[in-house]
Amino acid sequence: MLKITNKVSYVGKIDWQLRKFHGEQLTTNRGSSYNSYLIQDKKNVLIDGVWGPFAKEFVDNLQKIIDIKSIDYIVALHAEPDHSSALADVLEIIPNTPVYCTANGVKSLKGYHHKDWNFVPVKTGDKLDIGASALTFIEAAMLHWPDQLMAYLDSDKILFSSDAFGQHFATEFMYDDCVDNSELIFEAMKYYANIVAPYSKKVTQKLEEIAKFNLPIGIIAPAHGVMWKHNPNLILEKYAKWANAYKENQITVVYDTMYGSTRRMAEVIAEGIREIDPSATIKLFHSSTADNSDIITEVFRSKAILVGSPTYNSGILNSTAAMLEELKGIRMQAKKAAAFGSYGWAANSAKIITKMLEESGFELPEAASITANWNPDEAALVACFEFGKKFAAFAK
Ligand code: FEO
């Protein structure tokens, strides 16, 4: 338990062990935390719970801090099981306690738990008086689920933001100024790129709406990772930038390869890029062995990407297909792209990649791809170098 203010305590779970999230989809190389908060005023409020494997531990710890039967209200900001699982255990003890959530929250909580709890649907601007303070609710649909809700505690100036502004980042120091800043920003960006980026338009709208409320925000308390207490504006500013066609001066080359031909193409294309754009950061990733969620983060920060695979059974290699499928779902904004790949007897891969990049919203140059037959010879490598130069000029 961590006392955040006189009336607000952190009662969540720090999960140092977690390395995969959303099943096996997302890597969490620095672990995570499932943040739950207890407000003790005239009324006692529990905001969110933790993931199922820690539900019993959560309930036992909570009982040491407060008699669970004295919890007056539960606020479920989000129904995803990493937050709502343990609420079901708490509600076994106090089944009639009002559960404040959005109308969509009612649907998804019922959908997961199949219980007809004492739901109180709330909308933006609704208030819950809890004594000397009040919680104001702000709907945050599609950040990143339809049910998402935020709550603002006026007395302590805390915005409980649910998944928005979070990071998968285990640390015993739960504040932004107590951890390595570059690690924190990387994890916040990785979280944004992989989870929030598909809803960037909603993020922009929500930030504008929050600004209009003119709330003095002292602490942003997200559902994962550290609280933004030292500088809550930093993450608001980062989200404003990330939501608006974000790009750095970086070109990322992602490839898979069987015998090194497509790898060689990637390296020589990168040399061509360097010739034209010496100030750009160029990064190469082997999609079979690099961390896919980190690659998505690197794509997110790039102004342009190149994706390569050899032709394999008339298609493309698994890791390339998986990454492109993910990019299709995320639909990153205002990025340029091209494709490349080696082949033996059917030059299919570059065509397939080109099509998938187009479908994912990338802008492609007229000459959008390059192929090399078998093991690229000197002439093929010169062509790759020239392709890299042209692409760098297009991406500038
Ligand atoms: Fe952390 Fe969308 O749950």
Side-chain angles (χ1 to χ4, degrees):
M1 195 267 278
L2 164 72
K3 205 90 178 137
I4 302 168
T5 62
N6 277 342
K7 65 175 74 169
V8 181
S9 304
Y10 179 89
V11 293
K13 171 69 185 175
I14 298 166
D15 187 350
W16 291 91
Q17 199 175 310
L18 191 79
R19 288 297 178 271
K20 292 284 179 74
F21 191 72
H22 286 160
E24 296 290 309
Q25 184 73 5
L26 179 75
T27 63
T28 52
N29 300 329
R30 290 189 173 89
S32 191
S33 67
Y34 318 104
N35 296 348
S36 169
Y37 303 95
L38 177 69
I39 308 171
Q40 291 170 283
D41 200 318
K42 287 203 177 104
K43 300 288 187 182
N44 299 314
V45 184
L46 179 66
I47 298 184
D48 287 337
V50 301
W51 189 33
F54 303 105
K56 183 177 182 311
E57 181 183 328
F58 171 78
V59 170
D60 290 347
N61 285 340
L62 190 60
Q63 187 62 47
K64 286 179 199 153
I65 298 162
I66 187 172
D67 176 4
I68 288 178
K69 290 191 173 142
S70 72
I71 292 174
D72 299 285
Y73 308 123
I74 287 174
V75 174
L77 298 178
H78 180 32
E80 198 165 353
D82 52 323
H83 309 292
S84 76
S85 294
L87 291 183
D89 295 62
V90 172
L91 283 157
E92 286 286 313
I93 302 167
I94 46 172
N96 298 318
T97 306
V99 178
Y100 289 77
C101 60
T102 62
N104 280 326
V106 176
K107 286 185 205 164
S108 41
L109 284 164
K110 279 186 179 176
Y112 266 106
H113 299 286
H114 310 141
K115 300 278 186 189
D116 206 8
W117 290 321
N118 180 13
F119 292 110
V120 184
V122 293
K123 292 192 166 136
T124 296
D126 288 354
K127 279 187 194 294
L128 175 62
D129 285 318
I130 56 173
S133 52
L135 279 166
T136 302
F137 295 108
I138 303 167
E139 290 169 276
M142 301 321 296
L143 266 75
H144 63 128
W145 272 22
D147 68 335
Q148 223 100 22
L149 181 65
M150 296 186 187
Y152 177 75
L153 182 65
D154 55 5
S155 58
D156 296 33
K157 303 183 177 62
I158 302 177
L159 179 68
F160 300 98
S161 61
S162 190
D163 279 333
F165 315 123
Q167 336 88 46
H168 287 303
F169 193 7
T171 166
E172 63 181 309
F173 308 110
M174 292 302 292
Y175 296 116
D176 53 349
D177 59 339
C178 301
V179 295
D180 183 290
N181 190 256
S182 62
E183 289 183 6
L184 173 59
I185 296 302
F186 177 82
E187 290 301 337
M189 182 191 272
K190 179 173 176 177
Y191 193 98
Y192 188 94
N194 284 273
I195 296 175
V196 186
Y199 314 107
S200 285
K201 280 188 186 145
K202 295 276 180 194
V203 171
T204 303
Q205 288 166 8
K206 192 51 56 183
L207 290 173
E208 285 167 3
E209 195 184 318
I210 291 171
K212 275 188 201 149
F213 272 106
N214 238 336
L215 303 170
I217 297 175
I219 301 175
I220 294 176
H224 298 283
V226 304
M227 287 169 267
W228 304 90
K229 181 183 184 189
H230 172 69
N231 187 3
N233 276 335
L234 177 69
I235 193 64
L236 293 171
E237 286 162 12
K238 290 281 182 199
Y239 263 50
K241 281 187 191 164
W242 293 343
N244 186 20
Y246 183 73
K247 57 187 157 195
E248 298 173 18
N249 187 19
Q250 177 171 322
I251 297 177
T252 299
V253 184
V254 188
Y255 68 92
D256 203 351
T257 193
M258 289 190 284
Y259 295 105
S261 298
T262 302
R263 172 182 61 77
R264 194 74 196 108
M265 293 179 77
E267 290 168 351
V268 176
I269 289 169
E271 286 168 21
I273 295 169
R274 168 67 61 234
E275 176 98 349
I276 295 297
D277 196 350
S279 64
T281 300
I282 302 169
K283 293 185 186 175
L284 276 72
F285 293 96
H286 176 222
S287 51
S288 283
T289 51
D291 180 313
N292 190 55
S293 307
D294 287 346
I295 292 177
I296 295 290
T297 312
E298 296 295 346
V299 170
F300 176 72
R301 76 201 307 181
S302 297
K303 61 182 179 181
I305 65 166
L306 287 129
V307 180
S309 164
T311 297
Y312 182 71
N313 290 341
S314 80
I316 57 177
L317 290 177
N318 291 355
S319 74
T320 317
M323 189 202 66
L324 288 167
E325 183 61 25
E326 193 154 8
L327 288 177
K328 196 163 139 193
I330 295 173
R331 286 197 77 79
M332 294 191 187
Q333 305 170 54
K335 297 197 189 295
K336 296 180 176 177
F340 61 98
S342 64
Y343 68 99
W345 57 98
N348 289 346
S349 61
K351 281 185 221 154
I352 293 167
I353 294 168
T354 301
K355 185 161 178 283
M356 290 180 83
L357 287 168
E358 268 171 347
E359 286 169 358
S360 304
F362 288 89
E363 184 191 347
L364 276 70
E366 209 170 315
S369 66
I370 185 165
T371 59
N373 195 203
W374 302 116
N375 183 20
D377 59 11
E378 196 51 39
L381 291 175
V382 168
C384 286
F385 186 77
E386 291 302 319
F387 184 78
K389 280 169 65 180
K390 277 192 193 136
F391 184 73
F394 168 72
K396 262 199 167 177

